[in-house]
Amino acid sequence: MAASASTPWVGVIMGGRSDLEHLQPAIDILAELRIPHEVRVVSAHRTPDWMMEYASTAESRGLSVIIAAAGGAAHLPGMVSSKTLLPVLGVPMPTTVLSGFDALLSIVQMPKGVPVGTQAIGKPGAANAALHAAAILALKYPELRERLAAWRKARTDEVLAHREVAG
């Protein structure tokens, strides 16, 4: 069962356009794995009504997973999770003087009942969020499971092809 190319499976959201550079690895991996997705700016603090609308309508619009990036106080992932039953994967952004550590703590310390799957800070976390989303979706879409398995095998093959280091 495949969704149409026009129906995104994953929502990639961020508090501001400045987060896009850190989220690009997630977007690239979703594209490489041919996972339909949308990318939106959804600010918890500057556009709270839009954030609530986005989160509360996500499932009815066909989304299955939301990747939410936020820096500083990092309210976006948790607030979105509070308005949807979909899995929300939080990516802390390294945008403050604390280099994302504040965002990491904000996202990972969600209260009981409002889960957010917290990833690493910045680009590595964004990449892993996309792979985590792919693994969730692969439970439903066998063709995606095959693409994800091939992607992971290619990473293994890359390491094995270059395992000797000249001294």
Side-chain angles (χ1 to χ4, degrees):
M1 172 183 182
S4 73
S6 63
T7 303
W9 296 350
V10 177
V12 180
I13 60 175
M14 65 202 87
R17 283 190 176 273
S18 60
D19 296 334
L20 183 58
E21 102 176 69
H22 302 289
L23 271 179
Q24 196 61 52
I27 296 163
D28 293 344
I29 289 172
L30 292 170
E32 183 178 352
L33 292 173
R34 300 191 314 272
I35 297 173
H37 60 281
E38 64 184 23
V39 181
R40 303 284 185 270
V41 173
V42 181
S43 174
H45 300 114
R46 293 174 300 234
T47 60
D49 294 336
W50 162 232
M51 177 199 59
M52 291 298 188
E53 178 184 337
Y54 183 90
S56 64
T57 64
E59 189 170 4
S60 67
R61 293 184 295 105
L63 294 181
S64 295
V65 180
I66 298 172
I67 297 171
H75 290 121
L76 183 62
M79 290 303 296
V80 167
S81 180
S82 77
K83 293 299 288 183
T84 184
L85 294 177
L86 296 177
V88 176
L89 307 175
V91 181
M93 293 287 98
T95 56
T96 65
V97 70
L98 296 177
S99 301
F101 189 64
D102 48 349
L104 173 66
L105 292 176
S106 293
I107 296 170
V108 81
Q109 292 289 31
M110 291 306 304
K112 178 181 176 182
V114 186
V116 174
T118 309
Q119 306 296 317
I121 297 169
K123 292 178 181 181
N128 281 340
L131 294 168
H132 197 164
I136 292 167
L137 291 163
L139 295 170
K140 184 176 181 182
Y141 301 108
E143 68 279 7
L144 174 56
R145 184 175 180 79
E146 292 173 19
R147 292 193 302 271
L148 179 59
W151 191 94
R152 300 258 318 245
K153 182 180 182 320
R155 303 299 78 75
T156 299
D157 293 346
E158 287 172 3
V159 171
L160 293 175
H162 299 95
R163 62 186 154 188
E164 293 186 29
V165 179

